[in-house]
C-alpha cells in the first residue's frame, strides 16, 4: 500500500499500472485492498470456468519441461526438439484414454518399455492406474521415492551384515536414485593400506567419481569397504563386485600419490604459487586475497578475543592448498588438505583447525567453525569477497549471484549469531575496504555491503516464522551489530504476542505521527509543574520509574525483559490518550506534553521502533 498510494492517498504510477493490467476502475482501488497476513496490499481476484483436463495437459507438460533448470539443451539427428537427453516415446493417459498431444515432437501413446535387459518388450498400458505395476513387472521402479527407499533398505542391510554403518549422503543418495531403474546394492572392498590417506580424500574418490556409499565403524572411522548400486540383478554378482573393486583401486592410488607428493612441499612454499592464480581480475591474485584475509582476520581476532598469532599464521596459509595436487584433483578437499599438510609441516594444531574450518559453513545446515580463530578467518574470507565484488559494482541481481554473496552473507550471520560475537559491521567493513588499493567510493561500498548483509536476516527470520514487521521494527534503528539485531528481533517477536503489544504499538505510531507534525523546537525535558491532568501526571511518574527499571537491563541486552516491563505502561498510555489533548493551544502545555511523549517513545526505542508493528491503514 505504501508503494501504491502517495502521502495524500492518491494512486501512484505503480497503482495505475496495476489497475490497467487487471482492468480495474482507478477510482475503485480502495475496494481492492487486502492483507496477506504480513501487510496490506492491492489485490485482484477473478474466477474462470474450468476446462477439460485433456485439453490442458499438453500445455502444462510442455511448460513444465521448458521450465526445468537444464543448463544446455541438445538436439539429436534431424529432430528440432531440444532436451537434456533424447526422448524415444511419450505415454500420456487420462484414465484409459490417450491424451491427444505432441510432446518434444513425439505423439503421445499408451506404449512404454521396461528395463533394457527385460524380456517384456513393448508394453501396452490399458489404464493409467496400471502404469507402476506394469513397469515393476518389467524391472523398473518408476516412483523416485520408492526407489530411494529400496536403496536405503538394501544399503542398511549390507552394512549390518559387515557390522558397519553406511553414510547415506543426501545428495549422493538422490543422484544414485536417479541413475538406476532397478536398484541392487552390492558390497565391495579396497586395500587397507589406503586408510593411511586422509579419509576425506577416499570418501571423495568413492562418492564423486564412482557413486559409492562409504562405511564407518562404531567410532566413525572409515573402514575398507563400500556399497555400490547396480542397475540389474546379475547372475554372477561377484563379477560386478570385482569390476567395481578394480575401478576404484587406481582412483585411490592416485589419491595416495597426490598426498605423498604434496607432503614434500611446505604450505608456506606453496603460497608463492598463488601469485599466479587470479582471484578476480581487478582484485588481484589468491596470494593477495590470502594476505588480506590474514590482516582482516587479525583485526577481527582482536575484537572477538581470538589468538592473534594463530589467526595471522592460519590466514596466510589458508589458501595454500589450492596449489596442491590433491585439491587440483579433489576440489572438495580445499581446507581439509591444508589442515593435514599443516600438521605434516609441524604447524600448531590450532592453525590446522583454522585452515580446515575457515570454509565452514559451505552450505545451508553445514557445521560452523568451532574456534574463534577459525571464526575470524571465516568472516574475513567472506567479507573480503563481499567488499571486493561490491566495490567493483557487481552486486547480485535477481537470480544472478556468481560469487555466492548471498550464501557468504548468511554464513557470516550464522557464525556471528551462533558464537554470540559482538561485531560492529561498519567497523569491520571499513577496515576490509582499507586493505584494497584498487577500490573507490568507500562510504557507498561499505553502506551497500552492510545493508545487503543485514537484509539477509529478513529471509532468516521469515524461515523461523517471525513476521517481517518485527524485523522492520528493529531495522528502523539502523543497527550495525548482527548479534544485537538478532537478540532484539527475538525480543520484539515475543513482545508482539502480548495482549498489550498492539495497543502500545498503536500508541507509539500515534506518537510518531504527532512528532512528525510538531514544527516547534522540542523541549529538552518534562516540566513537572506543567502537568495538570491526573493521566499525564501518572504517565510521567511511570516513565521515570521505568527508566530506572530498564537501565540495568539495557547493559545486559535483556531486551525481552525491557519490553515486557514496558508492557505494564499500557493502562497509563491508554488513559493519557483518552484524557489528554496533546496539541493544545497553550504553547507551553503543548511542548511539555510533546516532551512527555518523547520520553515514552525513547523508552521503547531502547529496543526497537514498535510503531512498525502497526499494520498499514487502508487508503481511500
Amino acid at each position: 500500500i505504501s508503494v501504491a498510494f502517495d502521502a495524500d492517498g492518491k494512486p501512484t504510477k505503480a497503482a495505475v499500472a496495476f489497475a490497467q493490467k487487471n482492468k480495474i476502475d482507478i477510482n475503485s482501488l480502495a475496494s481492492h485492498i487486502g492483507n496477506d497476513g504480513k501487510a496490506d496490499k492491492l489485490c485482484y481476484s477473478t474466477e474462470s470456468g474450468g476446462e477439460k483436463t485433456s485439453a490442458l495437459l499438453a500445455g502444462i507438460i510442455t511448460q513444465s519441461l521448458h521450465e526445468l533448470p537444464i543448463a544446455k539443451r541438445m538436439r539429436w539427428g534431424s529432430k528440432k526438439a531440444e532436451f537434456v537427453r533424447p526422448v524415444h516415446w511419450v505415454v500420456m493417459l487420462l484414465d484409459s484414454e490417450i491424451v491427444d498431444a505432441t510432446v518434444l515432437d513425439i505423439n503421445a501413446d499408451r506404449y512404454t518399455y521396461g528395463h533394457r535387459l527385460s524380456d517384456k518388450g513393448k508394453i501396452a498400458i490399458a489404464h493409467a492406474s496400471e502404469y507402476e505395476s506394469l513397469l515393476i513387472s518389467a524391472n523398473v521402479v518408476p516412483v523416485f521415492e520408492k526407489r530411494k527407499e529400496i536403496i536405503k533398505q538394501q544399503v542398511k542391510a549390507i552394512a549390518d551384515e559387515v557390522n558397519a554403518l553406511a553414510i547415506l549422503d543426501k545428495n549422493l543418495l538422490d543422484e544414485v536414485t536417479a541413475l538406476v531403474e532397478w536398484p541392487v546394492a552390492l558390497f565391495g572392498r579396497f586395500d587397507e593400506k589406503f586408510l593411511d590417506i586422509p579419509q576425506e580424500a577416499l570418501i571423495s574418490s568413492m562418492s564423486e567419481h564412482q557413486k559409492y556409499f562409504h562405511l564407518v565403524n562404531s567410532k566413525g572411522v572409515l573402514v575398507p569397504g563400500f556399497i555400490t548400486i547396480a542397475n540389474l540383478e546379475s547372475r554372477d554378482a561377484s563379477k560386478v563386485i570385482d569390476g567395481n573393486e578394480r575401478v576404484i583401486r587406481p582412483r585411490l592410488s592416485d589419491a595416495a600419490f597426490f598426498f605423498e607428493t604434496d607432503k614434500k612441499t611446505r604450505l608456506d612454499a606453496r603460497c608463492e604459487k598463488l601469485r599466479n592464480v587470479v582471484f578476480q581480475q581487478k582484485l588481484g591474485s589468491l596470494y593477495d586475497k590470502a594476505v588480506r584475509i590474514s590482516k582482516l582476520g587479525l583485526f577481527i581476532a582482536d575484537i572477538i578475543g581470538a589468538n592473534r598469532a594463530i589467526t595471522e599464521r592460519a590466514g596466510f596459509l589458508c589458501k595454500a592448498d589450492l596449489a596442491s595436487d590433491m585439491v587440483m584433483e579433489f576440489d572438495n578437499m580445499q581446507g581439509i588438505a591444508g589442515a593435514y599438510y599443516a600438521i605434516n609441516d609441524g604447524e600448531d594444531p590450532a592453525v590446522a583447525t583454522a585452515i580446515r574450518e575457515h570454509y565452514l559453513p559451505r552450505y545451508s545446515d553445514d557445521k560452523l567453525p568451532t574456534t574463534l580463530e577459525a571464526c575470524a578467518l571465516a568472516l574475513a574470507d567472506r567479507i573480503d569477497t563481499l567488499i571486493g565484488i561490491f566495490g567493483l559494482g557487481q552486486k547480485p541481481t535477481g537470480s544472478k549471484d556468481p560469487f555466492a554473496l548471498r550464501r557468504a552473507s548468511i554464513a557470516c550471520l550464522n557464525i556471528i549469531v551462533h558464537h554470540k560475537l559482538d561485531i560492529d559491521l561498519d567497523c569491520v567493513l571499513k577496515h576490509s575496504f582499507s586493505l584494497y588499493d584498487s577500490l573507490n567510493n568507500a562510504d557507498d561500498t561499505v553502506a551497500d555491503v552492510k545493508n545487503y548483509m543485514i537484509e539477509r536476516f529478513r529471509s532468516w527470520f521469515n524461515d523461523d516464522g517471525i513476521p517481517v514487521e518485527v524485523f522492520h521494527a528493529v531495522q528502523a534503528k539502523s543497527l550495525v551489530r548482527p548479534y544485537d539485531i538478532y537478540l532484539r528481533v527475538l525480543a520484539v517477536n515475543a513482545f508482539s504476542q502480548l495482549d498489550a503489544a498492539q495497543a502500545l504499538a498503536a500508541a507509539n505510531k500515534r506518537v510518531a505521527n504527532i512528532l512528525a507534525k510538531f514544527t516547534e523546537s522540542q523541549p529538552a525535558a518534562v516540566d513537572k509543574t506543567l502537568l495538570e491532568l491526573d493521566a499525564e501526571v501518572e504517565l510521567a511518574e511511570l516513565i521515570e520509574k521505568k527508566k530506572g527499571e530498564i537501565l540495568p537491563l539495557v547493559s545486559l541486552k535483556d531486551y525481552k525483559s525491557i519490553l515486557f516491563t514496558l508492557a505494564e505502561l499500557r493502562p497509563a498510555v491508554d488513559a493519557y490518550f483518552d484524557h489528554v489533548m496533546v496539541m493544545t493551544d497553550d504553547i507551553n502545555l503543548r511542548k511539555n506534553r510533546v516532551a512527555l511523549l518523547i520520553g515514552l517513545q525513547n523508552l521503547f526505542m531502547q529496543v526497537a521502533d514498535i510503531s512498525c508493528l502497526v499494520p498499514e491503514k487502508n487508503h481511500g
Side-chain angles (χ1 to χ4, degrees):
I1 290 303
S2 61
V3 175
F5 298 94
D6 61 22
D8 298 324
K10 295 180 180 179
T12 62
K13 289 182 179 179
V16 172
F18 178 84
Q20 292 174 343
K21 177 182 177 181
N22 296 295
K23 299 179 181 179
I24 301 171
D25 182 353
I26 195 70
N27 296 314
S28 69
L29 278 176
S31 64
H32 288 275
I33 293 175
N35 192 289
D36 65 353
K38 297 180 180 179
D40 288 338
K41 298 180 179 180
L42 279 182
C43 307
Y44 174 68
S45 301
T46 184
E47 293 182 9
S48 60
E51 297 180 50
K52 288 186 176 181
T53 303
S54 58
L56 296 173
L57 278 174
I60 291 171
I61 289 173
T62 298
Q63 182 65 22
S64 298
L65 292 173
H66 176 72
E67 292 178 358
L68 286 173
I70 300 171
K72 187 175 182 180
R73 295 172 184 265
M74 294 175 275
R75 290 182 302 206
W76 288 267
S78 60
K79 293 183 178 180
K80 294 182 179 179
E82 295 182 348
F83 199 56
V84 69
R85 289 289 184 271
V87 176
H88 299 288
W89 69 87
V90 174
V91 176
M92 283 183 69
L93 296 178
L94 184 59
D95 295 329
S96 60
E97 299 297 319
I98 298 172
V99 177
D100 184 15
T102 300
V103 177
L104 297 172
D105 290 347
I106 296 177
N107 295 328
D109 210 327
R110 65 171 71 251
Y111 299 101
T112 189
Y113 298 82
H115 194 285
R116 62 189 176 86
L117 298 181
S118 168
D119 58 3
K120 293 287 185 179
K122 197 173 186 178
I123 302 171
I125 303 176
H127 194 280
S129 62
E130 300 175 354
Y131 174 71
E132 184 179 359
S133 61
L134 285 173
L135 278 176
I136 288 175
S137 70
N139 298 106
V140 173
V141 180
V143 180
F144 184 88
E145 290 302 324
K146 290 185 178 181
R147 250 186 355 264
K148 182 192 288 188
E149 190 58 35
I150 290 170
I151 292 172
K152 289 166 66 175
Q153 290 176 1
Q154 291 183 359
V155 168
K156 184 180 185 305
I158 290 177
D160 289 344
E161 287 178 11
V162 297
N163 196 29
L165 175 66
I167 305 301
L168 292 170
D169 176 79
K170 179 183 181 301
N171 292 332
L172 178 59
L173 179 59
D174 284 345
E175 184 177 5
V176 170
T177 302
L179 287 173
V180 298
E181 298 170 303
W182 192 256
V184 178
L186 301 170
F187 175 70
R189 298 179 182 277
F190 59 83
D191 198 314
E192 286 193 27
K193 70 179 183 181
F194 291 120
L195 294 179
D196 292 335
I197 309 169
Q199 69 174 30
E200 295 89 349
L202 299 182
I203 293 168
S204 179
S205 290
M206 289 187 282
S207 63
E208 292 290 320
H209 298 290
Q210 303 305 132
K211 313 305 175 189
Y212 298 164
F213 296 103
H214 66 278
L215 300 161
V216 298
N217 61 22
S218 58
K219 296 180 180 179
V221 178
L222 194 68
V223 300
F226 60 85
I227 297 176
T228 184
I229 307 298
N231 192 32
L232 51 81
E233 289 186 17
S234 174
R235 286 189 295 271
D236 188 353
S238 64
K239 291 184 178 180
V240 179
I241 294 170
D242 179 65
N244 279 276
E245 290 176 341
R246 284 188 287 108
V247 168
I248 194 62
R249 195 173 299 122
R251 287 286 183 184
L252 301 185
S253 295
D254 287 346
F257 174 77
F258 295 143
F259 183 57
E260 293 302 323
T261 301
D262 284 343
K263 287 195 297 183
K264 295 175 183 178
T265 304
R266 290 181 57 84
L267 273 182
D268 46 17
R270 291 190 184 281
C271 290
E272 286 299 313
K273 293 185 178 181
L274 297 180
R275 292 183 185 273
N276 300 319
V277 183
V278 175
F279 163 56
Q280 201 280 344
Q281 188 176 6
K282 296 180 180 179
L283 300 178
S285 67
L286 279 177
Y287 180 89
D288 299 323
K289 181 171 179 62
V291 170
R292 291 194 302 269
I293 290 174
S294 182
K295 291 180 179 178
L296 182 58
L298 191 58
F299 182 80
I300 295 172
D302 287 339
I303 296 173
I304 66 176
N307 182 284
R308 288 174 56 85
I310 296 296
T311 304
E312 187 174 28
R313 181 62 175 169
F316 181 67
L317 298 175
C318 68
K319 301 300 180 185
D321 66 355
L322 296 179
S324 69
D325 290 337
M326 178 71 81
V327 175
M328 290 287 188
E329 180 68 16
F330 307 107
D331 58 2
N332 59 353
M333 286 292 290
Q334 57 188 4
I336 298 169
Y340 280 104
Y341 299 150
I343 293 296
N344 182 68
D345 293 347
E347 299 284 352
D348 190 310
V351 169
T353 298
I355 291 173
R356 176 191 289 266
E357 295 187 352
H358 90 281
Y359 283 105
L360 302 178
R362 293 157 295 188
Y363 49 83
S364 177
D365 299 326
D366 192 16
K367 295 179 292 185
L368 296 175
T370 59
T371 69
L372 289 178
E373 294 75 29
C375 288
L377 295 182
L379 293 171
D381 188 7
R382 292 164 174 83
I383 288 173
D384 174 76
T385 300
L386 283 158
I387 284 291
I389 302 304
F390 267 76
L392 295 177
Q394 298 181 18
K395 306 175 187 177
T397 56
S399 60
K400 295 182 179 179
D401 186 13
F403 287 90
L405 301 185
R406 287 185 183 87
R407 189 167 62 200
S409 298
I410 293 172
C412 288
L413 296 176
N414 259 311
I415 292 168
I416 292 170
V417 168
H418 179 80
H419 285 283
K420 303 178 181 179
L421 304 178
D422 188 20
I423 288 178
D424 182 328
L425 269 188
D426 248 348
C427 180
V428 173
L429 294 174
K430 286 176 182 176
H431 190 77
S432 177
F433 190 95
S434 72
L435 299 175
Y436 277 100
D437 298 325
S438 57
L439 299 179
N440 298 310
N441 303 318
D443 291 344
D444 289 344
T445 300
V446 167
D448 287 346
V449 174
K450 177 188 67 178
N451 293 335
Y452 181 81
M453 292 181 70
I454 291 177
E455 186 64 20
R456 297 314 103 202
F457 261 142
R458 183 197 296 265
S459 57
W460 173 324
F461 293 126
N462 185 59
D463 290 343
D464 288 343
I466 295 177
V468 69
E469 57 266 23
V470 171
F471 172 62
H472 287 160
V474 176
Q475 193 182 33
K477 286 182 63 64
S478 300
L479 302 169
V480 296
R481 297 178 182 271
Y483 181 57
D484 188 56
I485 293 172
Y486 174 79
L487 293 177
R488 290 171 187 265
V489 168
L490 295 186
V492 175
N493 186 53
F495 169 78
S496 69
Q497 297 168 47
L498 297 178
D499 292 338
Q502 279 304 310
L504 287 170
N508 272 267
K509 185 75 170 179
R510 187 171 179 181
V511 170
N513 291 336
I514 290 172
L515 296 180
K517 296 174 182 177
F518 189 74
T519 58
E520 298 154 357
S521 59
Q522 294 182 355
V526 174
D527 184 346
K528 294 181 180 180
T529 63
L530 294 176
L531 300 174
E532 295 183 339
L533 303 175
D534 291 344
E536 59 183 332
V537 171
E538 181 186 6
L539 182 58
E541 291 176 350
L542 279 174
I543 288 174
E544 285 302 313
K545 179 184 177 184
K546 294 302 177 186
K547 278 183 185 178
E549 291 179 5
I550 70 171
L551 187 60
L553 299 175
V554 171
S555 61
L556 294 173
K557 299 190 178 193
D558 188 356
Y559 301 121
K560 180 179 177 181
S561 294
I562 292 172
L563 290 176
F564 276 52
T565 297
L566 296 180
E568 297 167 4
L569 288 170
R570 179 186 174 178
V573 171
D574 288 346
Y576 182 85
F577 282 114
D578 286 343
H579 300 103
V580 178
M581 172 65 71
V582 178
M583 304 306 283
T584 179
D585 292 335
D586 187 318
I587 187 171
N588 291 324
L589 286 180
R590 185 165 67 245
K591 284 188 174 185
N592 203 54
R593 288 170 180 175
V594 166
L596 185 59
L597 294 182
I598 292 173
L600 174 66
Q601 184 187 58
N602 287 341
L603 285 180
F604 286 94
M605 287 297 285
Q606 293 289 331
V607 179
D609 183 358
I610 67 165
S611 68
C612 294
L613 300 179
V614 179
E616 293 286 340
K617 291 187 178 295
N618 292 352
H619 290 72

